[in-house]
Amino acid sequence: MPPDLGPPDVDVAITPDGTRIAFDAGDGLRNGIFTMAADGNALMFLTPDLGGSSPEWSPDGQQIAFESRNGLYLMDSDGANPRELIGIPDFLGTMSQFGLEWSPDGKWLVFGHSFEVWVVGLDDKQPRQLTEIQQHYQGQTWSPDSQR
């Protein structure tokens, strides 16, 4: 990683096949999602116009989900075709997201927001609140069949 980017944040994700790494980093002027080969070569800055954090590879390694500009976004693994999945202000106000995770079948994303756990389907883009306890959740994950 070039020294002017600073160290990567805690949000680092490895492709399911182990060949590429996605991470968020920045120097205060340009922040966003980067990828590189697992051997440290082929560094790419994928989100110069969007910024972004919390990258997560899709189960097939073809897409990256991430947080940016008070919303959740998807893009192709090479940074092409960035698109907003949901705008957090549209349903919850300011962003306070944590723990973005794909379902094993690649049809859903689970995430935490404002001390609750939510899911959103990639087909309908409708967020659904799963909890109502106002607790700090961390490390939510899916069952292998993507049903829970």
Side-chain angles (χ1 to χ4, degrees), residues 14-17 19-20 35 46 56-65 74-81 83 102 106 122:
I14 300 172
T15 53
D17 67 5
T19 61
R20 300 206 45 85
T35 61
L46 302 184
E56 279 297 323
W57 294 94
S58 62
D60 64 6
Q62 299 300 306
Q63 297 184 85
I64 300 172
L74 298 174
M75 66 180 159
D76 297 344
S77 62
D78 63 359
N81 194 26
R83 58 224 178 260
W102 287 83
L122 273 63

Side-chain angles (χ1 to χ4, degrees), residues 3-128:
D4 65 332
L5 291 178
D9 198 344
V10 296
D11 298 317
V12 176
I14 300 172
T15 53
D17 67 5
T19 61
R20 300 206 45 85
I21 299 167
F23 59 95
D24 54 16
D27 60 8
L29 297 175
R30 57 180 191 152
N31 301 307
I33 308 297
F34 293 79
T35 61
M36 66 181 174
D39 65 7
N41 291 313
L43 180 71
M44 294 174 55
F45 185 18
L46 302 184
T47 59
D49 297 326
L50 281 174
S53 62
S54 306
E56 279 297 323
W57 294 94
S58 62
D60 64 6
Q62 299 300 306
Q63 297 184 85
I64 300 172
F66 63 100
E67 171 192 335
S68 183
R69 296 187 182 161
N70 291 328
L72 298 180
Y73 285 75
L74 298 174
M75 66 180 159
D76 297 344
S77 62
D78 63 359
N81 194 26
R83 58 224 178 260
E84 185 181 76
L85 178 62
I86 56 172
I88 298 299
D90 294 344
F91 75 99
L92 285 174
T94 59
M95 185 69 160
S96 176
Q97 182 262 351
F98 56 90
L100 187 60
E101 181 79 26
W102 287 83
S103 63
D105 64 10
K107 295 179 181 180
W108 299 86
L109 286 166
V110 64
F111 63 98
H113 180 21
S114 299
F115 300 104
E116 300 296 351
V117 178
W118 294 77
V119 295
V120 61
L122 273 63
D123 56 351
D124 67 7
K125 301 180 183 177
Q126 295 298 311
R128 296 164 182 85

Side-chain angles (χ1 to χ4, degrees), residues 114-117 129-137:
S114 299
F115 300 104
E116 300 296 351
V117 178
Q129 186 173 346
L130 299 181
T131 61
E132 295 182 14
I133 303 175
Q134 288 287 311
Q135 295 290 320
H136 178 74
Y137 297 93

